[in-house]
Amino acid sequence: MKLKSVNVGSALRLGDLLTGICKQSHEGAIEVSTLGLVGDAVCDKKYHGGPDQAIYIYGGDDYAFWSNEHGLDLNPGTFGDNLTISELSSLSVCVGDRFLINDVILEATAPRIPCATLGRRMDDPKFPVAFRKAQRSGFYCRVLQEGVVQAGSDVTLVPTKDPESLSILDMFELYYDPNPSSERLRHALATPIAIRDRERFSERLENLNA
């Protein structure tokens, strides 16, 4: 796999929303800190950013899906992805999988859940529904080791060693499940998922046991 593009966004307005979703490919090396790409804007910090959602990755195979199935020729960074990685599908990634890029070590933590901002980015209020149906969510990562990345770098996938691993797709579907079982929630909570989702799933489990 190769790092196809490194994408950075400034705070821009889409209607009445201030957002960092509009990202452009960055030429040259850029520093990766525990909070993400240095210089990348995160505007809605209630739902985005933070140590467990520091980097958003989208796969080249996922972009190919939108081209092949929907006729959309999309540039890297269109979905707000910080890193676009060739020969990668988010359907094959599990929570806890690690990605090595130069000195940087990233760990997958959660799928991206589409919101109204994505609809505005695509100039289509119905696009989040299409994104949900496609199940090509991309995924967030925490930064286990800081460093510098640059487009064209090799990317090494180190799969999680957890025999009870949780796929990004399963976690994506769990988010939308109106009546999840306690076993399914406990399974997710036993993996290194992002803190926002941990809090959400813990609350749902408590409600089931109440």
Side-chain angles (χ1 to χ4, degrees):
M1 293 185 295
K2 292 281 188 180
L3 183 53
K4 181 177 181 179
S5 183
V6 179
N7 314 304
V8 180
S10 301
L12 296 174
R13 287 203 173 275
L14 290 177
D16 59 349
L17 290 176
L18 185 66
T19 176
I21 196 174
C22 300
K23 301 192 188 301
Q24 302 292 326
S25 294
H26 176 86
E27 294 186 7
I30 187 167
E31 183 180 350
V32 180
S33 77
T34 54
L35 292 179
L37 298 181
V38 172
D40 184 54
V42 178
C43 298
D44 186 356
K45 295 185 179 181
K46 180 178 180 180
Y47 298 107
H48 299 286
D52 283 354
Q53 293 179 199
I55 297 288
Y56 177 46
I57 291 178
Y58 210 71
D61 290 358
D62 297 321
Y63 271 113
F65 165 84
W66 291 105
S67 176
N68 297 334
E69 300 296 325
H70 294 270
L72 297 176
D73 185 15
L74 305 174
N75 293 322
T78 295
F79 295 128
D81 38 309
N82 299 114
L83 306 180
T84 312
I85 297 177
S86 67
E87 302 174 50
L88 175 67
S89 166
S90 55
L91 298 178
S92 66
V93 176
C94 289
V95 172
D97 283 356
R98 295 183 178 183
F99 294 82
L100 283 53
I101 310 171
N102 301 330
D103 292 333
V104 174
I105 302 176
L106 308 174
E107 183 176 70
T109 61
R112 189 263 188 78
I113 303 301
C115 60
T117 303
L118 180 60
R120 294 198 182 191
R121 171 71 171 107
M122 301 302 292
D123 197 25
D124 179 1
K126 296 181 179 179
F127 189 81
V129 176
F131 193 88
R132 158 74 179 93
K133 290 181 178 178
Q135 298 181 319
R136 301 278 183 158
S137 66
F139 54 96
Y140 292 107
C141 292
R142 59 173 63 93
V143 179
L144 299 181
Q145 183 168 299
E146 299 177 326
V148 174
V149 298
Q150 185 171 358
S153 297
D154 291 330
V155 180
T156 300
L157 167 62
V158 180
T160 177
K161 296 180 181 179
D162 183 358
E164 302 297 328
S165 60
L166 174 73
S167 73
I168 289 294
L169 176 58
D170 284 344
M171 188 173 173
F172 187 69
E173 290 302 313
L174 177 58
Y175 183 93
Y176 290 101
D177 188 344
N179 298 296
S181 67
S182 59
E183 291 79 9
R184 198 175 181 194
L185 290 168
R186 288 193 183 95
H187 177 206
L189 291 167
T191 67
I193 60 176
I195 185 63
R196 291 182 179 92
D197 297 287
R198 182 169 298 281
E199 291 171 349
R200 174 187 295 272
F201 295 157
S202 293
E203 181 178 356
R204 296 182 77 177
L205 183 59
E206 289 174 4
N207 290 338
L208 282 178
N209 295 330

